[in-house]
Amino acid sequence: MKKLQGYDAKLIKEILKDEDSVIEIDDKKYVVSLIEKPKIPISDESENKPRKKVQQMKLDILNGKEFAIDDVVEMMDQGKL
């Protein structure tokens, strides 16, 4: 078994999101499939944390809560605000 991290892991996750998980490398076709589902989907939880934080910050800004200008500029630079 090979453990993937970083960009490789992200790429495989994107492939697995599609219903048709067939990839072609050097004129050979491969089927990528899930053989063991984790009890707690760690990737979904970790991917949602930044989104939840940004959503909460947006609500806080709309409700008049004050933020450091650096936080607001960073969200604007990332296209989240």
Side-chain angles (χ1 to χ4, degrees):
M1 180 173 89
K2 181 175 182 175
K3 188 168 185 165
L4 300 176
Q5 295 179 354
Y7 178 75
D8 295 334
K10 186 176 180 179
L11 178 64
I12 294 297
K13 285 179 188 177
E14 285 298 317
I15 291 170
L16 290 173
K17 284 183 182 178
D18 297 334
E19 290 181 22
D20 186 16
S21 297
V22 177
I23 59 173
E24 185 174 339
I25 302 170
D26 297 329
D27 296 325
K28 295 178 185 173
K29 293 184 181 178
Y30 298 88
V31 176
V32 182
S33 63
L34 178 66
I35 59 170
E36 182 180 345
K37 189 172 184 176
K39 293 179 184 178
I40 299 172
I42 297 171
S43 63
D44 292 342
E45 184 179 311
S46 63
E47 289 174 2
N48 285 335
K49 282 183 181 181
R51 290 182 192 152
K52 288 180 181 178
K53 181 180 177 184
V54 169
Q55 289 174 345
Q56 184 61 48
M57 288 179 80
K58 286 181 181 179
L59 289 174
D60 290 346
I61 290 170
L62 291 172
N63 291 327
K65 183 176 178 183
E66 294 180 12
F67 282 91
I69 191 69
D70 293 339
D71 293 337
V72 176
V73 170
E74 181 180 342
M75 287 193 312
M76 291 172 65
D77 288 343
Q78 294 173 355
K80 295 178 181 178
L81 183 64

